[in-house]
Amino acid sequence: MLALLAQLRHKVAIGYVGGSDLVKQQEQLGSATIPVTTLFDFCFAENGLTAFRLGEVLTSQSFIGWLGEEKYKRLVKFMLRYIADLDLPVMRGTFVEFRNGMVNVSPVGRNASMQERGDFERYDGEHGVRKTFVEALKREFPDLGLTYSIGGKISFDVFPHGWDKTYCLRHVEAEAKQPDGVQYTTIHFFGDKTAPGGNDYEIFSDPRTIGHAVTGPEDTARQLKKLFDL
């Protein structure tokens, strides 16, 4: 996939956006000797709350600075109590992970193995663990202005309204205002969680993008080759 993206980069500017922090994205996309920020024109960690353009850091935002410490503590205490009362087949560790631009919540725990993650995804599909958790949070905190976005196999993200993946588009739009900047009039987005409630839905359906639903890396590669004649 990286070789294909390098080939694509000769034709267009490329970037990625994800909810994970930069350390995790480095593990997923980069290598021990190649920084992920050198492989893409734009790198958006935590939905763009942490952002890079051609390897240079762009202005970032803070979830806790926006919400405030007292409200944050109320939120996290409720999450931990809720998780403590769950009865799942397997529970591991790191259930609530604070990130710069959001909180990531995993009922099974982010320390779960790959096998356990797959098992939980199937269990969650049958029992709606994450969906029910999100509904409880919405009832408990209707006034905090938060969005809850289910994504991946084991977790969901919590962030302020408007801080979903569309947040990264403001960085792309700001590029036109830079000296010798570029105005991007066509932005293609590829994602696998594009249904309502998925963490790709907002940017997939945003009028500023052309959304492409994919099923995985192989399908993404297939669509890229066809669209850009690679």
Side-chain angles (χ1 to χ4, degrees), residues 10-172:
H10 288 293
K11 292 192 170 188
V12 296
I14 66 172
Y16 70 83
V17 57
S20 298
D21 60 24
L22 187 65
V23 173
K24 288 187 177 63
Q25 293 177 348
Q26 174 65 35
E27 294 173 355
Q28 294 168 340
L29 298 170
S31 70
T33 57
I34 304 176
V36 67
T37 53
T38 65
L39 301 175
F40 299 83
D41 298 282
F42 292 95
C43 299
F44 299 122
E46 302 182 55
N47 291 351
L49 276 299
T50 299
F52 294 81
R53 170 185 171 272
L54 298 176
E56 298 295 323
V57 180
L58 301 177
T59 304
S60 65
Q61 292 279 3
S62 165
F63 173 78
I64 203 165
W66 177 88
L67 185 63
E69 187 66 41
E70 291 305 312
K71 291 180 180 178
Y72 173 74
K73 287 193 294 186
R74 281 177 48 218
L75 177 68
V76 171
K77 286 179 180 179
F78 179 88
M79 291 173 174
L80 292 174
R81 284 194 296 267
Y82 187 98
I83 291 169
D85 290 335
L86 288 174
D87 184 16
L88 303 178
V90 167
M91 297 182 76
R92 293 299 178 250
T94 311
F95 300 102
V96 178
E97 182 178 79
F98 174 75
R99 299 173 182 173
N100 184 56
M102 67 182 69
V103 174
N104 179 263
V105 185
S106 174
V108 70
R110 297 198 63 83
N111 292 349
S113 67
M114 293 303 296
Q115 178 63 49
E116 291 164 345
R117 287 168 178 247
D119 292 343
F120 174 78
E121 184 179 31
R122 288 186 288 274
Y123 183 88
D124 185 49
E126 296 176 7
H127 300 278
V129 177
R130 289 183 289 178
K131 183 174 182 290
T132 304
F133 197 164
V134 165
E135 290 170 352
L137 286 165
K138 288 179 177 179
R139 288 194 302 270
E140 185 70 18
F141 302 102
D143 58 336
L144 292 189
L146 296 174
T147 294
Y148 306 89
S149 183
I150 297 172
K153 294 183 177 182
I154 64 168
S155 65
F156 61 89
D157 296 326
V158 183
F159 47 82
H161 293 328
W163 286 23
D164 52 58
K165 287 182 179 177
T166 60
Y167 189 94
C168 75
L169 296 177
R170 67 185 64 190
H171 294 299
V172 178

Side-chain angles (χ1 to χ4, degrees), residues 150-217:
I150 297 172
K153 294 183 177 182
I154 64 168
S155 65
F156 61 89
D157 296 326
V158 183
F159 47 82
H161 293 328
W163 286 23
D164 52 58
K165 287 182 179 177
T166 60
Y167 189 94
C168 75
L169 296 177
R170 67 185 64 190
H171 294 299
V172 178
E173 292 173 328
E175 170 71 8
K177 301 176 184 177
Q178 300 299 319
D180 300 321
V182 177
Q183 182 175 7
Y184 294 101
T185 57
T186 304
I187 303 172
H188 293 272
F189 173 79
F190 298 81
D192 64 341
K193 301 292 184 182
T194 57
N199 64 356
D200 292 327
Y201 174 73
E202 290 83 4
I203 190 170
F204 172 80
S205 58
D206 192 284
R208 292 170 291 179
T209 70
I210 300 172
H212 305 268
V214 298
T215 58

